[in-house]
Structure formats: structure tokens, C-alpha cells
Amino acid sequence: MAFISTGYDPKKPMENRITDIGPRDYNEFYPPVIAKNKGKWSHHEILEPGVLVHVADSGDEVYTVRVGGARLMSTTHINEICEIADKHCDGHLRFTTRNNVEFMVDSKDKLEPLKNDLASRKFDGGSFKFPIGGTGAGITNIVHTQGWIHCHTPATDASGTVKASMDALFADFQDMRLPAHLRVSMACCLNMCGAVHCSDIAILGYHRKPPMLDHEYLDKVCEIPLAVSACPTAAIKPSKQTLADGTEVKSVSVKNERCMYCGNCYTMCPSMPLADTEGDGIVLMAGGKVSNRISDPKFSKVVVGFLPNEMPRWPSMTAAITRMVEAYAKGANKYERLGDWAERIGWEKFFEACELEFTHHLIDDFRQQAYMSWRQSTQFKF
Amino acid sequence: MAFISTGYDPKKPMENRITDIGPRDYNEFYPPVIAKNKGKWSHHEILEPGVLVHVADSGDEVYTVRVGGARLMSTTHINEICEIADKHCDGHLRFTTRNNVEFMVDSKDKLEPLKNDLASRKFDGGSFKFPIGGTGAGITNIVHTQGWIHCHTPATDASGTVKASMDALFADFQDMRLPAHLRVSMACCLNMCGAVHCSDIAILGYHRKPPMLDHEYLDKVCEIPLAVSACPTAAIKPSKQTLADGTEVKSVSVKNERCMYCGNCYTMCPSMPLADTEGDGIVLMAGGKVSNRISDPKFSKVVVGFLPNEMPRWPSMTAAITRMVEAYAKGANKYERLGDWAERIGWEKFFEACELEFTHHLIDDFRQQAYMSWRQSTQFKF
Amino acid sequence: MAKHETPFLDQLESGPWPSFVSDLKQQAEVRAKNEKGVEFQIPQDCVDDLLGIVELSYKHGRTHWKHGGIVGVFGYGGGVIGRYCDQPQAFPGVEHFHTMRVNQPAGKYYTTDYLRKLTDLWDFRGSGVTNMHGATGDIILLGTTTPQLEEVFWTLTHDYNQDLGGSGSNLRTPADCLGQSRCEYACYDTNALVHFLTNEYQDELHRPAFPYKFKFKLDGCPNCCVASIARSDMSFIGTWKDDIRIDQDAVNKYVENDAAYPANAGAHKGGDWGPFDIEKEVIALCPTGCMKFENKKLAIDNANCTRCMHCINVMPKALKIGKETGCSILCGAKAPILDGAQMGSLLVPFIEVNPDNDYEAITEVIENIWDWWMEEGKNRERLGELIMRQGFQKLLEVTGIEAMPQHVQYPRTNPYIFWKEDEVTGGWERDVEEYRKHHQR
Amino acid sequence: MAKHETPFLDQLESGPWPSFVSDLKQQAEVRAKNEKGVEFQIPQDCVDDLLGIVELSYKHGRTHWKHGGIVGVFGYGGGVIGRYCDQPQAFPGVEHFHTMRVNQPAGKYYTTDYLRKLTDLWDFRGSGVTNMHGATGDIILLGTTTPQLEEVFWTLTHDYNQDLGGSGSNLRTPADCLGQSRCEYACYDTNALVHFLTNEYQDELHRPAFPYKFKFKLDGCPNCCVASIARSDMSFIGTWKDDIRIDQDAVNKYVENDAAYPANAGAHKGGDWGPFDIEKEVIALCPTGCMKFENKKLAIDNANCTRCMHCINVMPKALKIGKETGCSILCGAKAPILDGAQMGSLLVPFIEVNPDNDYEAITEVIENIWDWWMEEGKNRERLGELIMRQGFQKLLEVTGIEAMPQHVQYPRTNPYIFWKEDEVTGGWERDVEEYRKHHQR
């Protein structure tokens, strides 16, 4: 494993340095039919789950096959995607915002071979490599964060909760039976690197214990002022601590009841870890949307205050999600998003229909906006 | 004008003292038909503006004639009310929440003489003493505060603005042509002794200048700590001041840009007056309601940021109110309250329809709830 | 001949609406003539001076009243508002001009006999100027001098069996709609409950023990004619739990536009709205869409009804409130100052209104709330502001009420749940050395 | 033969959804075999160790990653995220395991040629594990060591004409929907604008000069497929000012349930919704009620249309966006932390998107906002929080935009207007002695 240099010389970092060149020009990457008809598309149709056709004013058509997959992706897997794109799509493909892969062909006769090829590929473990779906009034891929794969503050895993959820929701990935599309999102702690606060269903990792304090090391590895200022609720103060051996050290103290377990302090100071087997788990939110269609965009609401981490498949979580999806499928009107449905029937009926327990944790007590969520009306259902 | 004592002896205040006896028992005051049928009313009908009939399960009927009037009322006027009630109503009457007077008779044949009597009475100045109306889909009496008649912090008059407004709206007091009832309320400063924050149209007196400081007298007539703590925005601080003659006195200073002109400090400290001929005037609000009918109760919104005090009839104010009423009468659906109409067409169209100017003052900047009033949507009308 | 020229006010005598100026002028004249031979205990020309000083305000665009010092009757912390004018030489009749608040009867029914006693007293010992009524609900006697306060109080209590109302950091005079006395929508007897509460809490009404003012208002139904949801710290609004009662024949009379069945009880008679259309005016406007009219039959899915009153208001001869009635309690309403307006937030979806046990279910909620507010409320902090500061969850805790989805319009949109240590398995104390066995520094 | 036992992870290989565990295992095996003879610059068994350490997290229910110190490439303040594991002895292959963010192309179109270059590089100098793509939009290269960072950067810039993305208190990598490249709803060329902005603001993207992170996201239409309104400090959402274009013949094809005209472009094919009903599915769901279908003719009152896209989405062959297109700009969206979530608030209802003048109307708004935020924003204060703290009126002031009712959902409900002294006749300075001439103490 000898180090092989590109030519970069750490002693002369500016020599031949190229910077600020930005991304590659998208024009280099468009498939020809896209480049030709850009800005001149007439309409589209979802032919079947995962398969779309877009028709241009020119009469040109582009057929798209959308496949799901893990956003965590090996080069081996990417190379396989390239192999398929070379074989069927003249070496072009694209990714969607929700981590699907789209293979495009410019005539209908190329569609079946492509679909068959994609559907036939499976991992050794048995799962599909390229399941076709994720369109229309169904459930598409879950956007998510890193979790235990690569993050220092997660309260749960991301890839695992997503895999467990998508297995449970797989039929709806490949179908379009729902009243409207349903977006599931996942963030592994409340910093929400992937903002999930406007999703039909959001899975959120959540700590419930304030940080431990590694007093012996804290002042050695942390800048105490940075740790103090990292706290959004001003719960951290500098303090002197006496260790077991009697030595006095500079450290911090935490006002536990003010802590909202965000882990910002741990980011600044490794001597303040907060992960905990029993403390950590899942919050479920529901009813958000980003589209302006029919109703305004809206925030998701907390509908399950806490579920424990149940590795490896989080059955309580997937059961709650499935109950929400089924109640929605049964109760909502055509075109009605999950949150619009909940508002129409009233959240009290939502909890009933989804068999979810309402607890005091779900009543807002954050800032004065909380007031807006309480009920200033005699209009409610018993 | 010799002092005539009841028997109260200031030196022995507890002697024969009676306290804590509460109000008179309402049962003493019910007209017989009310006492008999209480809790057993079947239905009612508004026969014509200002005239109602309530029908009991027993078949009994009570006819009510509602008349408007100033809530500022002399004993002479009350005695005249009593004279009418004795003549037609066996000595009974009632007042409504909105300062109307209701005369009740227990049979239909007593109605016409009562109505004729009421309608015939006028003040020497020409105005009606007992105009019949104030029911159904019209405009009823304006609830209001004291204003210049009896208050130390008003920014405008109450009785005068109300008289001017009701003269302008009089036809709708005696008619029921509107899409729904329309409630107008008036408060002479933002302390809102009469809370007007949930009215279809609200007239609000408003100061715009911070208090003057009468440094020479302030410490003599005020408790400085009380003045300081009276300020809701913490704009007042104790300070030392040097008078023209060089003497140094204890006083306060006011951070003017933090002042919201509420007059709380003046209530605590007469050396901090804030009334001003040019600074004071009127804010108009619109679109509130308290009923839970169809839609939830809602707050009024500020639709005119400022109008000057134009004594004695506030023509700019009554013109703006009239424009709102007429636009509402023209644009709203049957049963639609003013605020529901504005929300349905969008506030941008409300300003257009009512020919009101939108200014930056109307954009909320008070506390974090302000955010909820900004537009988080691409849904708007050009 | 008027004592003061009032060119501004004179202009407010014209126009159809009853003129307060004309009324004050007639009062000034009645006092000047004094045909009844009243031995006026305050200046006979006080109403002249009232007109004069108001005229001056119309000229200046500014008030000429000063806040009073502390005046009142012995032992009471409220019921009287001191007031002095800032031009006593020019208007000596209103130099001292205090207000007394008299506790109005439930439903604001009166006999002329009672009112005449009151006017006699106020002519004798006051200005003869009143508000019928003040914004909170009291009878307002407007304008007397300090020595008269105890005298008026003595006559009220000894001869009229009548007490003062509230002001200051007290329970303010409770107020109600007329309720079952003359309204078929009322779900409980507002007059009885308001009278009970006013008497039960006389001490709280007269003696300041609260952080700030506190208001009860009682509405018989969700139409909220007395605006309790916007104007009272505790709002009692009638409601029912069972089904809306339907008279199908009467429904069809409405549908047929029978003249004896005017829609909305005749409230729209002045408009040109065309014939009544049950689909458009009732079914389509139902906020929950829980109604159907098919084959001449009206069906209501009562489980999805939110009792908004619209259909009942529109067809009062055909639809009646349910029979299992009671009230909802909402908390915290207040005007904008100091910390923004609030409407009442639903605390108790349904509670029985039972005079037979002295409304014990209701007084328990009231007293739990007061205990909390008196313990935790800051000076001049309204209940609504305390709820905002400590959270609605805290209100549930102090009242011992279980959280339920009815409490919210929607669940929280932020995930900032502050857990309590005893709610979290294993608590918060942990051994960092144990942790470090699995997680190196 | 796997290096570590992974009984927990193994259970995530079953089920239909693509298993990230299976993929990592295949990757570990490919690296172990190394059939291509790659001279791996980081440990060959790093993916085995990645599986091992994630398995340990599944056992403990806790992460085993530590935050990295400051690592990066020379001169850039972002684009690299340091990462170390807390069990380096057991999993030496992932002791150092940094992330590199690579700026994705607009619309996320790729050629296989480009992707293969990237995988070659990442097999050689990294773990071969990626995210396609990260939450902000970048290509994420997951797992390499510190000495490789400059090497990867060198190859990207010199050989691939490719730069890194943003992280830290920088402009984050802007992201867009595919826009006009393949969508008939797009109101402007999102790919072109996102490419322009990314290049125009390379300095802001690579060198931290902001109080905190800043995101641009570009949606071609109000359907908001890229969630800009929820996820970006400045959100550019396509819209139009003129009329929706109607093909009446095509409308009637939809009404007739012609098989070539499936409602909602076929999105509901899996449900049993019955035949398409234009009244129920379009007219009645229009949020403004501005549509009518009478005598086989669809009429839209465009002055009352709010361009919600529903009718166009339902009948894409019949209805088209207008021709006078541009975008709206909304500001301040962010996730809940620290001070509560915000969605973007409408700042510019309509702005032209004009490549011919380098989008000068848009860059002016951006730069005015940045000037204000860099001047006034506190450390770690997002734009939305600054707007909340200083007020929306201030945002209008710094951008020189007139207030208009489009800016609000509803006007303020409180009357607490803070006037500026120069807005009030006569100013605030007054002579108390003059006042006292009319108002005695």
C-alpha cells in the first residue's frame, strides 16, 4: 500500500493548484433526446409504476424507468448501474432528489429489455438491486441521513430504519393505490441534516438523556467556552469539579432539565457523549408536505413521542408507520395528502384511525408559537 | 348642598357593615313569561329588523323589540326607558351584551303600540332615542370604552367615534341585507378595556409618541420603580436629570424606539403623559369573530395602520369602515363573516376590494408568532 | 342656557343614532331645573362641566382626565375607579369624578322598580351619568366624589341588596349570555351558574389576591354571544355529547321554502338571496361535511359533528341541540397587551353543569387553576401568559387532566420534547467510565 | 469469508428492498479479491471494518463514530468532514474515515464515463463507499484518510474538471429539480440557474464568511419536488403571471375518460377510484374556486388563480402553465434546530429569470440579503432566525422591496406597530411645559 502521489506537493500547496471550478456542466451529461427537447416538453404520463413517458412538442418521446435503492452505494453497485446504462441507454442516466436512479430510453421498444434487465438483478442476500417503482400515488424512496454508518450524534441508524421501513412499504413502492403520493423521510437526530420536518411521514432519531461529563478529560480535549456556547438552551455552564483522587479540574456542568439532547455540545466537545442504549430511539412525525398543490406546504407533527431502538428491524416503528399508511389509504379522498386528510377529519380522529396513543409529550411547549397549536375553538370531535 | 349621611360612620367602618352579598338574584327580575318558560324554548324568529319572537314548548310566545343607543346613558334616559317598560312591558326589560335595550311583551297585539312608541321618541337634537334594529344579518350596536368622557389614557374619543360610525352605518342597523352579522367594536387605546381583538371591524385608539418626561416633578409624584416596572417592553430606566436651574433630580429615561405607546407608565406615573394632538389617532382592524359557527373564532387584523383624529366626526375613519362594509356586502357569500370572506378571496384581494392601502406597518413584527402571518406559500394572487 | 359652549359636540347631535351629547345636555338641564328637588350631594352643574371638558378634548385631540389615586370603599380592593380632571378651575364640577362598578344581575334583566331606585340614588349622590353597561358587564355609575363612595355603598348594600363589582387584580364581575332564560340554543343555565360563581367567589372578587385581573364569562352555546372565548381567563361554553335532534318534517318545510320556516330564523330577510337551498346553505357549509340530505331525509354523522351550530342556526325549528348537555372550559383569553392576544384554549372538552352538587366539577377546575396561578404567576401576568410561559402541559398537570388530542388543533410541529428523568428508562445518571469501555476517547 | 460476524446486519439482507448490507458485503468481497489489481491507498479491508463497527452499533444501540478534528483541503473551508471511529484497535480500517462532498451536476444527469472515472478514483483512494447523493445534493465520497484528501482533490480538479461542494458556514452546494430538461411544468431553466449561481458564488461556497450555513434550492414549479420551500435559506420557485393555457378538446377527452388521457398523468392507476369526474376532482378541489366547467367548456378566472398546479397536474395534456414565466423568491427556510423550523417566506412574488443579463435581478436580491446577514447575523444564526429577530419589515428594507399584501398570509393581528420618529408628524420631542399649560399636574 505504497502512497502514490498525483503530483500534489504539500510543501507547495499552491503550485498548479486548480480551485473554484464548480461542478461539471450539466450540458455534457444530458442524453441527446433531453438536450434536443429541453424546454419543449408537452406532457407526460406514468405508464405503470416506475415507468414514465415524456412527450415533446416535436413528437419525440423519452421513456424513463425509475428504480429505488439505498443511497449508501458502493462503487461496485455504481459500476453495475453504468453497465446497465451502457447497455440500454447509450451511457446516460440520472439520479432523483429522493435517491432513485432513472434510466431513460428514447423509444418504446427499448423499454421492455431495460425493465426485464433491471427486475432480474438481485443481491446475493435476496433483495432486489433495482426495484422499479416510486412514481405517482405511491411511496417513493426514503430520503435519509447517515446514522450509525458515519455520524457521531445519531440516536438511531438511518440505513437500517430505512431498509426496515421500505421492506414494510415495498408493495406501495411498486403500486399507485394511495390517495396521493406519500413521502417518507428519515433523520437520525434532531439536527436533521436531512430536513424531515415537512414530510408525510418522518422518522426521527431522538436522544432523551443529557450528556455524560468526562470531567477528567474535558478541559484537555475541549475548548470550554465553545462547549458552553454550543448549547441552544443555555443549559451548560463552566464549573470546577473535584475528581475521585481529589484533584480539582476545570469542566462544565449541565442543567439537565433544560437539555433537549441535541448533541451540539458533543460536536464541540468529545467529553460530553450522550448516546444511550435505552435513552435513544425514534420519534415519528406525520402530515407535512412541501408542495403548494391545493393546500399550502405544512410542517409534520409529532404523532409518536418515543419508540425504543429495536435492532435490527424496528418492528414497533414499522408497525406504527404501516398503520398510518393503511388508515390513510382507507380514509383519505383522492388527491388528499396525509396531512390534509388528518386536518379534514381532525387530529383526534387521526389518532383513532391510526391506533396511535396521544400523550402529553405531543402538546407543544416550545416558544410562543406553541399557543397556535392548542385548540382555541369549541369545534372538536368527541 | 349639605352632606346627608346614610348612617355610615367613617370612624367605625365595620359597624352594621354589609359586604359580599353579590348581585341581585336574576330570578327577581325575569318577566313572568321568561320565568315560566325558561329552559323550555322551542325556537325563535326575527320577524323584522329588531323584532324577535321566541316560542316555548308550551306554546307561549315572547316578542322582543331591540333598540340601540349610547351605552353612556343618563338617569333621565333610564327613567324614560322605565316609563316605556311600565307602559308596555309590565315593568320589565333587559340589556344585551352589546348595550342594546330589549323590551319584551307576551303577546303579538302589544307589539305595534310598543314599536310605535319607541320609534316616535327623539332627542331635541334630532336623533332617535330608541331606534329599533340590531338583529340578524345586519350591524348591531358598537361595544366601546370610555374615551375622553372618563379615561386618562385614551388616544381618541369612544362615544364620538361610535356615534359617527353608527350614523354612517345606521341603515344596516335597521336592515338585514348583509351576508352575515357584522360586529363593530371600539377601544380607545391598546389596553383594550373593551377587548376588540376578535371583531369584524375594530376601531382602536392609538398613540404614536413616547411619553413626555416631567423631570422636575417626577420623583415627587411617582414611585420610580413602579414606573420602570410598568413598561411591558423594558424601555424605561431610572436616571438622574439636571434641571434648567442646575439642580439634579432623580427621574427616568425612556428608550423611545422601544416604546409601544401603551400608556402603562402614565397610569403609574402622572409625570409621563403621552397624549398628543398629531401623534394620536385611529387604527382599524378587521376580520375577527368570536363565534364557533362554521369556522373557528379568529383575531382581527390591522388593515389601516393610522388615521388622524378628525373631530368631531372622523370622516376618514367612517369612510374606510363604510368601504369595508360595502365591499363585504357585495363580495361575500351568504353566511360568510367578514374575516371568512377575506380569507376566501385572500387578503391581497381584500385590500383591493376595500380600496385600502397596504403598508409595511401591517406586517407583523411582534414576537415569533409574527412568522405565522407571513406567506409561506407560492399560492397568492397577483 | 348651557354653561359651556360646545360647538364640536353640538355636531354630534345630528344624525339618526342616539346622541350621547343630546342625552348629556338633557341631563344637565334636568339637574339645573331640579324639578324633583333633589338635595344634590355633588355639584349640580357637574354634567355641564363634563360636557365642557369633553368639548375641550375635542378641541385639543387629547384627554383631560388624570388617573385617580387610590379611592374605594373600606375593605374592598376594587369596585371603584378614581378619576380627576386636569382643569379643575375651569370645570370644578368634575374635579373629582370617580366611577363605581355595580354588579349587574345575571342575564341583565331588570325591573323598572329596581332601576328607578338606582337612578334616584345616582341623581342624589352622583352625576346621574352611567354606562349601561361597562365592557366587563357591570352597571357603571360614572362620576361622584370621594365622600359619597361609602354612602352609595351603604345604600346599595343596606337598601338595595346590591353589591359592587370587581376591578384591579381581582376576580372581575362574571358575565353571561341570557342562556336558557330566552334562548333555545343554551346548553346550560348560564344565569344560574354565573350567579353561583359570583357569590361563591365574593372574596376573590372584592379582595385583591391575584397576580392580575381574572375574568369568567359564560356562553350558553358555541355561538358565543358574550364573547367568552376572546375575553375571559376562563370561558364556559355550552355544548352537548349526544346527537342533534332532527324533526324531518320541519326540515322539509325549510326545503320547501314554507313561509313559516324562514332560513336562519329570518336573519337574512333584508337580503336578496333567492330561495333557501339546503345543499348550498347547510350541507356544503358544514365544516366537517358530516351531513347529507337524500330522499327528503337529513342525516347527520354525529360522531364527526363538531357542534358548530350552523345547521341549527339555519333551521332552528327543525334541529335542536342534543340532550346530554354540559359545557366546555377554555382558558387564557386576553386582549393583546402585554404579551399578545390569546383566545381561550380548550382545557375541558366536556364537564357537567350540576347545581345539585354546587357545580363541584367546575369549582374544582377553577380552584386548581387559581392555586397554580397564585403560586406561580408573576405580578401582572394573566393566566394565558402563565400558560404560555410554563406550557399547556403544566396546566394539565395542575388540573389533573389527562392529555387528549382534543386539546390541540394539531400536535406539536417541533420535536423538542423535554422528557422528565423518571420517564426515561435508567434515568439520567450514568457512569462515564462504563461508557468509555465501549467508546474510547 | 467475512472478517467480522454480523448477525444483526445479516437480518437486513432479507426483504425486497435493496439491502445496503448486501451491497457493502459485495464491496468488501470485491476489495478482498481485487481482480482489477488496484493499489489501494487506504486499508483494503476498510469495508469489512465498516460492517463490523456498524454491527457493534446494532448491538449497543449507539454510534461508534467520533467527530473529526479540522481536516480539509488547502484554502477551502468546507467540502470535507472529518470522521474517526472510537474502536480503532478492533476496526483499524476505519480509524480515519473522512467524507468528501463532490459538487453534483445540475439535474443530476450523468454519463457512465464520468461515473466510472469517479468510482475508479474512489476505489483507489477511498473506501469505494458513497452516497448517491447526500441530503444537500452532493455526491458523497464516504471514507478516506487525511493524506488522500489533497490527492483526491487534485485528481478531481486536474483530471475530472470537478470541484468539491460546500459544508460549514458557507454557501452549501445549490440544488435543483430537473426543470425544463424533462418537465413540462418547469417555469424556468433550473439547471442553468443553479449552474450559474454555483459558479458565480464559488468563493462563498468554499470559504467560510457567513454566520452559518446558507442554502439555495431551485424548484421549477410550485409542486416543489426539490422541497426548496422547506429546506433552503433562499428558495427559487417557478411561477407565471399570465393565464393557464387551455386546450378545450383535450379537457373534454379527460371528461370523456378517454384512455389516452388518464387523470393526473396516470398517477392513480393503482387505485379503484372510478371514472374521472372533473367536478369532483378539479373544480371542487381548486383552492380558490376560480374554475367552472359548463357546456363542455372549462373557464378559469385567472385573476383569482393562485397557481397551485392541481388542475394542471390532473390534466397535463389539456392545461399548460402560462407563457409569462419567472420565479418567486422565498427566504428563511430551515430545520427545527435551534429556534424552531421555518418554511420560506415570500419575499419576491415574481422576478424574471434572465440568463441574458446574468440573472441580475436575482443576484441583486441575493447580495442585498447576504450583506445584511453578514452584517447583522449572529454566530450560527440562520437567515430565517435573523428575519424573525429583526422582522420581515427589515428584510424588505434591506432588499429595497415595497411592502405588499402578497407578503402576508394575513395582516398583523396585534396593533403593536413601532412607528419611526420621522413617520410621526411633529416628531417625538415635545415641550412638557407647553403641555402643562393645558394639562395641570
Side-chain angles (χ1 to χ4, degrees), chain D residues 157-175:
Chain D
T157 50
H158 284 75
D159 303 341
Y160 296 179
N161 190 26
Q162 171 69 56
D163 208 336
L164 294 183
S167 66
S169 292
N170 290 0
L171 175 64
R172 297 299 179 88
T173 313

Side-chain angles (χ1 to χ4, degrees), chain D residues 243-256 278-279 282-283 290-302 315 318-319:
Chain D
D243 295 354
I244 292 175
R245 288 171 286 156
I246 308 176
D247 175 343
Q248 298 287 357
D249 291 340
V251 171
N252 282 289
K253 297 280 191 190
Y254 281 102
V255 173
E256 291 155 14
I278 195 171
E279 275 302 328
V282 179
I283 311 296
C290 74
M291 306 179 84
K292 256 189 242 173
F293 185 70
E294 280 169 2
N295 304 319
K296 303 199 165 192
K297 210 166 170 257
L298 183 72
I300 301 178
D301 169 12
N302 282 280
M315 304 189 290
L319 302 182

